[in-house]
Amino acid sequence: MPGSRTGGRPPVQRTVRRPPAVRPRRDNPVLRLYIRVRKAWDRPLTAYYLILGGSLLITVLGLVMVYSASQITALQKSLPGSFFFRKQLLAAAIGAGLLFAASRMPVKLHRALAYPILAGAVFTMALVQVPGIGMAVNGNQNWISLGGSFQLQPSEFGKLALVLWGADLLARKQDKKLLAQWKHMLVPLVPVAFMLLGLIMLGGDMGTAIILTAVLFGLLWLAGAPTRLFVGVLAVAAAIGAILIKTSPNRMARLQCIGATDPGPGDACWQAVHGIYALASGGIFGSGLGASVEKWGQLPEAHTDFIFAVTGEELGLAGTLSVLALFAALGYAGIRVAGRTEDPFVRYAAGGVTTWITAQAVINIGAVLGLLPIAGVPLPLFSYGGSALLPTMFAIGLLIAFARDEPAARAALAMRHPRFGRKRGAGGFGPVRRLRRWNTMRRRASAARPSGER
């Protein structure tokens, strides 16, 4: 239009500015930490490092706490202050050899050892009841004297025997596709497990019997037992356990001490209450290593069944949570090994070992916290006792061997070159290394040339 100020030009359309979209900040430290942790969990060697590192840390910390918690008990018995620590250190050294041997054994050898270990466990558990050979400790007839101050508890090796033999049995039946029938799933696994339980209960050791029952249920669950079958076996075991508890005044007294805050008449809950006192007096960071008060005769079995209470008193909540975190990592790694393998024997054995260690840790710590009755079972890899430490370390060696045997873990380990002991001619040094580098350069150069270039 002639009178228009724009001079005939079309009006300029103004763009509406939108507020910039809020993008998630990539420099968020929490997000970066989460991503790094998730990548670390997904690495093929994560389970291997968790099992090896977690078990070694638990064992070393257990040695320190055994030395701290057992000094007063040793002096009260007119023994050197480091008496129990030296015995535990010797057992740990032997157990380390067993762990290394088990971690290097092939799966076929593990399966071949199942029947000899089961036969040896049954024979020694039967010897416990022979007068003159078996001996009673704290009212339970489940020990064999080896001479001097050394004793053996065969029921601890019964756990390892049930894991190996049960895993081999279920794996062979799965290969023949027999586990779909409930008779093949139960027989002879359940009768043999009940035989072991009967030999254990002849000595009055109900705590070990509970662990063995947990291992049996773990194997049945991994084998895919139907719900009605699983519930039926659980109901039978619960009924037998209720009868055994009802007919024993000692077990009834332990059951009544759950959540007790007072020793009660006759000091029936003395141990449970003083375990709570030890944990309560520790605070956040504890009173210091070696500064426990309860171990001066107030807390029975301070270096065995109630070593977790002394740990809470001396290292505080931070120390107890560290122990719980190590056991949680160990349990997670065992579940991961059992879940990622294609070998049925490895799945059953790894699941059985994980059930064994996890259930025993839960029962021991639950008793110290006053949430469960005192069952008299040690904390795996942590409490004093060579009979419990040796088969547990062998079982840890099984998990390490299974973790190394995963296809992805084998590939990751094969890509690593040994740092020590390599020959200069064949290990990557000298002319061989220069030849490999020259061949690599030639392949790169030929790949970068155009197709018509010489």
Side-chain angles (χ1 to χ4, degrees):
M1 297 176 62
S4 175
R5 294 183 180 181
T6 58
R9 291 177 299 176
V12 179
Q13 297 181 356
R14 296 182 180 180
T15 59
V16 180
R17 294 183 180 180
R18 297 180 179 179
V22 179
R23 298 180 180 179
R25 296 183 60 183
R26 296 184 178 180
D27 57 346
N28 188 353
V30 178
L31 181 60
R32 284 184 299 172
L33 179 62
Y34 171 76
I35 295 175
R36 293 182 61 181
V37 170
R38 187 171 181 178
K39 289 182 179 179
W41 284 117
D42 293 335
R43 291 178 181 176
L45 292 177
T46 297
Y48 170 74
Y49 287 130
L50 282 178
I51 296 170
L52 180 60
S55 59
L56 290 181
L57 286 174
I58 294 173
T59 305
V60 171
L61 183 58
L63 287 172
V64 174
M65 293 311 304
V66 165
Y67 179 68
S68 175
S70 65
Q71 288 182 347
I72 306 304
T73 304
L75 294 176
Q76 289 175 347
K77 296 182 178 181
S78 301
L79 297 171
S82 60
F83 176 78
F84 294 104
F85 169 75
R86 287 180 292 176
K87 290 183 62 178
Q88 186 74 355
L89 183 62
L90 176 62
I94 300 174
L98 293 176
L99 185 149
F100 179 79
S103 65
R104 294 295 177 176
M105 288 181 184
V107 175
K108 292 183 178 180
L109 184 55
H110 288 148
R111 300 186 68 169
L113 289 176
Y115 283 87
I117 292 178
L118 177 64
V122 172
F123 178 73
T124 52
M125 289 167 67
L127 284 180
V128 170
Q129 306 303 323
V130 177
I133 299 179
M135 57 181 303
V137 176
N138 294 331
N140 292 337
Q141 183 81 15
N142 54 2
W143 296 84
I144 295 178
S145 177
L146 301 179
S149 61
F150 292 94
Q151 302 167 352
L152 179 67
Q153 188 177 3
S155 58
E156 293 290 341
F157 294 87
K159 306 172 188 176
L160 178 63
L162 181 60
V163 167
L164 286 178
W165 177 80
D168 178 70
L169 175 69
L170 293 175
R172 286 188 290 107
K173 289 195 173 188
Q174 181 174 338
D175 293 338
K176 297 179 181 179
K177 299 181 180 180
L178 297 176
L179 291 181
Q181 306 176 18
W182 66 270
K183 295 181 180 180
H184 287 282
M185 184 175 295
L186 294 181
V187 180
L189 177 62
V190 175
V192 172
F194 278 8
M195 179 188 64
L196 295 174
L197 289 171
L199 291 173
I200 292 173
M201 289 308 301
L202 284 176
D205 188 4
M206 191 170 181
T208 305
I210 294 174
I211 305 300
L212 208 67
T213 305
V215 173
L216 173 62
F217 287 151
L219 291 175
L220 290 176
W221 183 77
L222 290 170
T227 305
R228 60 182 183 275
L229 182 63
F230 196 82
V231 172
V233 177
L234 182 60
V236 172
I240 296 175
I243 294 174
L244 293 174
I245 293 175
K246 191 69 176 179
T247 55
S248 174
N250 184 25
R251 298 189 186 111
M252 284 297 298
R254 291 186 179 186
L255 190 64
Q256 295 173 358
C257 291
I258 297 179
T261 57
D262 185 82
D267 294 334
C269 301
W270 179 273
Q271 187 178 20
V273 171
H274 279 271
I276 298 297
Y277 290 168
L279 292 172
S281 60
I284 302 297
F285 299 104
S287 58
L289 191 62
S292 171
V293 176
E294 290 293 332
K295 69 181 180 182
W296 287 77
Q298 300 295 324
L299 180 63
E301 307 297 336
H303 60 297
T304 54
D305 301 343
F306 271 68
I307 194 171
F308 189 77
V310 180
T311 304
E313 186 178 5
E314 295 187 352
L315 303 182
L317 181 63
T320 55
L321 290 180
S322 300
V323 175
L324 291 176
L326 290 174
F327 276 109
L330 193 60
Y332 166 80
I335 294 173
R336 174 171 171 168
V337 171
R340 293 195 173 189
T341 182
E342 298 294 335
D343 190 340
F345 171 79
V346 174
R347 180 169 64 253
Y348 295 136
V353 171
T354 306
T355 304
W356 162 17
I357 295 177
T358 306
Q360 187 165 331
V362 168
I363 291 174
N364 177 276
I365 296 174
V368 174
L369 295 176
L371 303 176
L372 295 174
I374 300 174
V377 295
L379 190 59
L381 301 173
F382 202 82
S383 297
Y384 169 79
S387 296
L389 184 63
L390 295 181
T392 307
M393 295 194 74
F394 187 88
I396 293 296
L398 289 177
L399 290 180
I400 293 175
F402 298 156
R404 290 169 55 93
D405 199 51
E406 291 182 7
R410 284 203 307 265
L413 291 173
M415 292 177 61
R416 297 187 174 186
H417 299 285
R419 297 182 180 181
F420 302 101
R422 291 188 298 185
K423 297 181 181 180
R424 290 183 177 272
F429 292 97
V432 175
R433 184 174 182 179
R434 289 194 295 269
L435 179 60
R436 290 178 179 176
R437 184 180 299 175
W438 170 250
N439 291 334
T440 303
M441 294 174 63
R442 290 181 59 186
R443 286 195 298 267
R444 291 178 179 176
S446 60
R449 292 174 182 170
S451 59
E453 183 181 354
R454 290 183 175 271

Coordinates of all heavy atoms in Angstrom, one line a residue, residues 318-355:
A318 N 29.6 -49.1 62.5 CA 30.4 -49.1 61.2 C 31.0 -50.5 61.0 O 31.0 -51.0 59.9 CB 31.5 -48.0 61.3
G319 N 31.5 -51.1 62.0 CA 32.2 -52.4 61.9 C 31.2 -53.5 61.6 O 31.4 -54.3 60.7
T320 N 30.0 -53.5 62.3 CA 29.0 -54.5 62.0 C 28.4 -54.3 60.6 O 28.1 -55.3 59.9 CB 27.9 -54.4 63.1 OG1 27.4 -53.1 63.1 CG2 28.5 -54.8 64.5
L321 N 28.1 -53.1 60.2 CA 27.6 -52.9 58.9 C 28.6 -53.3 57.8 O 28.2 -53.8 56.7 CB 27.2 -51.4 58.7 CG 26.0 -51.0 59.4 CD1 25.7 -49.5 59.1 CD2 24.8 -51.8 59.1
S322 N 29.9 -53.2 58.1 CA 30.9 -53.6 57.1 C 30.9 -55.1 57.0 O 30.9 -55.7 55.8 CB 32.3 -53.2 57.6 OG 32.4 -51.7 57.6
V323 N 30.7 -55.8 58.1 CA 30.6 -57.3 58.0 C 29.4 -57.7 57.3 O 29.4 -58.6 56.4 CB 30.6 -57.9 59.5 CG1 30.4 -59.4 59.4 CG2 31.9 -57.6 60.2
L324 N 28.2 -57.1 57.5 CA 27.0 -57.4 56.8 C 27.1 -57.1 55.3 O 26.6 -57.9 54.5 CB 25.8 -56.6 57.4 CG 25.4 -56.9 58.8 CD1 24.3 -55.9 59.3 CD2 24.9 -58.3 58.9
A325 N 27.8 -56.0 55.0 CA 28.0 -55.7 53.6 C 28.9 -56.8 52.9 O 28.6 -57.2 51.7 CB 28.6 -54.3 53.4
L326 N 29.9 -57.3 53.5 CA 30.7 -58.3 53.0 C 30.0 -59.6 52.7 O 30.1 -60.2 51.7 CB 31.9 -58.6 53.9 CG 33.0 -57.4 53.9 CD1 34.0 -57.7 55.0 CD2 33.6 -57.2 52.5
F327 N 29.1 -60.0 53.7 CA 28.3 -61.2 53.5 C 27.3 -61.0 52.4 O 27.0 -61.9 51.7 CB 27.6 -61.6 54.8 CG 28.5 -62.4 55.8 CD1 29.0 -61.8 56.9 CD2 28.8 -63.7 55.4 CE1 29.8 -62.6 57.8 CE2 29.6 -64.4 56.3 CZ 30.1 -63.9 57.4
A328 N 26.7 -59.8 52.3 CA 25.7 -59.5 51.3 C 26.4 -59.6 49.9 O 25.8 -60.1 49.0 CB 25.1 -58.1 51.5
A329 N 27.6 -59.0 49.8 CA 28.3 -59.1 48.5 C 28.6 -60.6 48.2 O 28.5 -61.0 47.0 CB 29.6 -58.3 48.6
L330 N 29.0 -61.4 49.2 CA 29.3 -62.8 48.9 C 28.1 -63.5 48.5 O 28.1 -64.4 47.6 CB 29.9 -63.4 50.2 CG 30.6 -64.7 50.1 CD1 31.8 -64.7 49.1 CD2 31.1 -65.2 51.5
G331 N 26.9 -63.2 49.1 CA 25.7 -63.9 48.7 C 25.3 -63.5 47.3 O 24.8 -64.3 46.5
Y332 N 25.4 -62.2 47.0 CA 25.0 -61.8 45.7 C 25.9 -62.4 44.6 O 25.4 -62.9 43.6 CB 25.2 -60.2 45.6 CG 25.1 -59.7 44.1 CD1 23.9 -59.6 43.5 CD2 26.3 -59.4 43.4 CE1 23.9 -59.1 42.1 CE2 26.3 -59.0 42.1 CZ 25.1 -58.8 41.5 OH 25.1 -58.4 40.2
A333 N 27.2 -62.5 44.9 CA 28.1 -63.2 43.9 C 27.7 -64.6 43.7 O 27.8 -65.1 42.6 CB 29.5 -63.0 44.3
G334 N 27.4 -65.3 44.8 CA 27.0 -66.7 44.6 C 25.8 -66.9 43.8 O 25.7 -67.8 43.0
I335 N 24.8 -66.0 44.1 CA 23.5 -66.1 43.3 C 23.8 -65.8 41.8 O 23.2 -66.4 40.9 CB 22.5 -65.1 43.9 CG1 22.1 -65.6 45.3 CG2 21.3 -65.0 43.0 CD1 21.2 -64.6 46.0
R336 N 24.7 -64.9 41.6 CA 25.0 -64.5 40.2 C 25.7 -65.7 39.5 O 25.4 -66.0 38.3 CB 25.9 -63.3 40.2 CG 26.4 -62.9 38.8 CD 27.1 -61.6 38.8 NE 27.8 -61.4 37.5 CZ 28.3 -60.2 37.1 NH1 28.2 -59.2 37.9 NH2 28.9 -60.1 36.0
V337 N 26.6 -66.4 40.2 CA 27.3 -67.5 39.6 C 26.2 -68.6 39.3 O 26.3 -69.3 38.2 CB 28.4 -68.1 40.5 CG1 28.9 -69.4 40.0 CG2 29.5 -67.1 40.6
A338 N 25.3 -68.9 40.2 CA 24.3 -69.9 40.0 C 23.3 -69.5 38.9 O 22.8 -70.4 38.2 CB 23.6 -70.2 41.3
G339 N 23.1 -68.3 38.7 CA 22.1 -67.8 37.7 C 22.6 -67.7 36.3 O 21.9 -67.8 35.3
R340 N 23.9 -67.6 36.1 CA 24.5 -67.4 34.8 C 25.1 -68.6 34.1 O 25.6 -68.5 33.0 CB 25.6 -66.3 34.9 CG 25.0 -64.9 35.2 CD 26.0 -63.8 34.9 NE 25.4 -62.5 35.0 CZ 26.0 -61.3 34.7 NH1 27.2 -61.4 34.1 NH2 25.4 -60.2 34.8
T341 N 25.2 -69.7 34.8 CA 25.8 -70.9 34.3 C 24.8 -71.7 33.6 O 23.6 -71.7 33.8 CB 26.5 -71.7 35.4 OG1 27.1 -72.8 34.9 CG2 25.4 -72.2 36.4
E342 N 25.3 -72.5 32.6 CA 24.5 -73.5 31.9 C 24.7 -74.9 32.4 O 23.9 -75.8 32.0 CB 24.8 -73.5 30.4 CG 24.6 -72.1 29.7 CD 23.1 -71.8 29.7 OE1 22.3 -72.7 29.7 OE2 22.8 -70.6 29.6
D343 N 25.7 -75.1 33.3 CA 26.0 -76.4 33.8 C 25.0 -76.7 35.0 O 25.1 -75.9 36.0 CB 27.4 -76.5 34.3 CG 27.9 -77.9 34.6 OD1 27.0 -78.8 34.9 OD2 29.1 -78.2 34.6
P344 N 24.2 -77.7 35.0 CA 23.3 -77.9 36.2 C 24.1 -78.2 37.5 O 23.6 -77.8 38.5 CB 22.4 -79.1 35.7 CG 23.2 -79.8 34.6 CD 24.0 -78.7 34.0
F345 N 25.2 -78.9 37.4 CA 25.9 -79.2 38.6 C 26.4 -77.9 39.3 O 26.4 -77.7 40.5 CB 27.1 -80.1 38.4 CG 28.0 -80.3 39.5 CD1 27.7 -81.1 40.6 CD2 29.2 -79.6 39.6 CE1 28.5 -81.3 41.7 CE2 30.1 -79.8 40.7 CZ 29.7 -80.6 41.7
V346 N 27.0 -77.0 38.4 CA 27.5 -75.7 38.9 C 26.3 -74.9 39.5 O 26.5 -74.3 40.6 CB 28.2 -75.0 37.8 CG1 28.6 -73.6 38.2 CG2 29.4 -75.7 37.3
R347 N 25.2 -74.9 38.9 CA 24.1 -74.2 39.4 C 23.6 -74.7 40.8 O 23.4 -73.9 41.7 CB 22.9 -74.2 38.4 CG 21.7 -73.4 38.9 CD 20.6 -73.3 37.8 NE 20.1 -74.6 37.4 CZ 20.4 -75.1 36.2 NH1 21.2 -74.6 35.4 NH2 19.9 -76.3 35.9
Y348 N 23.5 -76.0 40.9 CA 23.1 -76.6 42.2 C 24.1 -76.4 43.3 O 23.8 -76.1 44.4 CB 22.7 -78.1 42.0 CG 21.6 -78.3 41.1 CD1 21.6 -79.3 40.1 CD2 20.4 -77.6 41.2 CE1 20.5 -79.6 39.3 CE2 19.3 -77.8 40.3 CZ 19.4 -78.8 39.4 OH 18.3 -79.0 38.6
A349 N 25.4 -76.6 42.9 CA 26.4 -76.5 43.9 C 26.6 -75.1 44.4 O 26.8 -74.8 45.6 CB 27.8 -77.1 43.4
A350 N 26.6 -74.1 43.4 CA 26.8 -72.7 43.8 C 25.6 -72.3 44.6 O 25.8 -71.5 45.6 CB 26.9 -71.9 42.6
G351 N 24.4 -72.7 44.3 CA 23.2 -72.3 45.0 C 23.2 -72.9 46.4 O 22.8 -72.3 47.4
G352 N 23.7 -74.2 46.5 CA 23.8 -74.8 47.8 C 24.8 -74.2 48.8 O 24.5 -73.9 49.9
V353 N 25.9 -73.8 48.2 CA 27.0 -73.1 49.0 C 26.5 -71.8 49.5 O 26.7 -71.4 50.6 CB 28.3 -73.0 48.3 CG1 29.3 -72.1 49.0 CG2 28.9 -74.4 48.1
T354 N 25.8 -71.0 48.6 CA 25.3 -69.7 48.9 C 24.2 -69.8 50.0 O 24.2 -69.0 50.9 CB 24.8 -69.0 47.7 OG1 25.8 -69.0 46.6 CG2 24.4 -67.6 48.0
T355 N 23.4 -70.8 49.8 CA 22.3 -71.0 50.9 C 22.9 -71.3 52.2 O 22.5 -70.8 53.2 CB 21.4 -72.1 50.4 OG1 20.8 -71.8 49.1 CG2 20.2 -72.3 51.4

